[in-house]
Amino acid sequence: MNRLLNPFRYIAGTRALILGTIFIVATALLEWSGGVVQDGYLHYALKSVGFGRVLVADVVSWLLPTALLYVAGVWMSRSRIRPIDMLGTMAFARLLIVPTVVPMLIPAVQNVMMEIISNPMVVTSIPESSMLWLSATGIWATAWLVLYWIWSYNAFAVSCNVRGAKAVAVFVGVQIACTLFGGLIFGLLVK
């Protein structure tokens, strides 16, 4: 169970960065092939844009919290923090974004989402089976997102040698900042 919740006791540094880079590029390829793009921090939209923009959005989504958490870790920790560990572990955590994106690539899910986006009142006329499918997709994505946040926190805690209430508060604060200010950055990237 510990390996599932905190793989960063076993993988870090260059190896984690190489694997994480592969996960980021693979996610971008999946998003691009399915007409999905990240238009906010951990928020996705159905929109066709070039692969370069999709990849840049995914890289920004990795680097933004990584940089903020690194700065916070340097401020909080008495240990010497290696940037390669922070970059690698945070990139490796992006593996968990892949399962959150995959359901959005299913045409049936995309169709229901587009119907709801184009006319929110159509929700009452969507077949129950489609709504169940969409609800299951939401539960699936939320479960993976929670595990992603656990991995990201553990990447921060292990790489910066921090823990406790202060570390959790800083991590939550960074996630909120990325969510609030990330929308501005992604708005410029994905026009």
Side-chain angles (χ1 to χ4, degrees):
M1 187 61 141
N2 195 24
R3 283 183 190 255
L4 173 67
L5 296 178
N6 192 0
F8 307 113
R9 293 182 181 183
Y10 311 99
I11 184 168
T14 304
R15 189 169 140 211
L17 182 59
I18 290 168
L19 289 170
T21 302
I22 292 168
F23 302 149
I24 291 167
V25 172
T27 304
L29 283 168
L30 283 171
E31 292 166 350
W32 175 69
S33 70
V36 175
V37 67
Q38 204 166 353
D39 66 347
Y41 180 64
L42 300 177
H43 184 270
Y44 297 86
L46 299 173
K47 185 176 184 179
S48 290
V49 297
F51 175 70
R53 286 190 178 175
V54 173
L55 182 60
V56 167
D58 283 3
V59 168
V60 168
S61 183
W62 158 54
L63 289 178
L64 180 63
T66 301
L68 294 174
L69 289 169
Y70 177 79
V71 169
V74 168
W75 170 69
M76 291 173 60
S77 181
R78 296 173 196 229
S79 302
R80 181 178 165 269
I81 301 168
R82 296 181 344 147
I84 190 75
D85 287 335
M86 194 69 200
L87 289 165
T89 56
M90 290 296 287
F92 190 87
R94 299 288 299 176
L95 166 65
L96 299 177
I97 297 300
V98 175
T100 66
V101 171
V102 169
M104 291 182 66
L105 305 176
I106 301 168
V109 172
Q110 286 186 351
N111 292 339
V112 172
M113 289 172 65
M114 288 307 291
E115 282 183 51
I116 293 170
I117 290 168
S118 65
N119 182 9
M121 298 307 291
V122 79
V123 170
T124 57
S125 64
I126 292 177
E128 187 176 319
S129 61
S130 295
M131 288 306 291
L132 286 173
W133 181 248
L134 194 60
S135 297
T137 300
I139 292 167
W140 167 269
T142 301
W144 285 104
L145 191 58
V146 167
L147 188 55
Y148 167 75
W149 276 322
I150 291 169
W151 273 26
S152 294
Y153 170 77
N154 285 327
F156 166 59
V158 169
S159 296
C160 297
N161 195 24
V162 295
R163 57 188 53 76
K166 188 174 180 181
V168 171
V170 166
F171 179 79
V172 170
V174 165
Q175 298 307 306
I176 291 170
C178 288
T179 301
L180 295 175
F181 300 115
L184 300 172
I185 295 169
F186 287 99
L188 297 172
L189 293 174
V190 187
K191 285 186 178 182

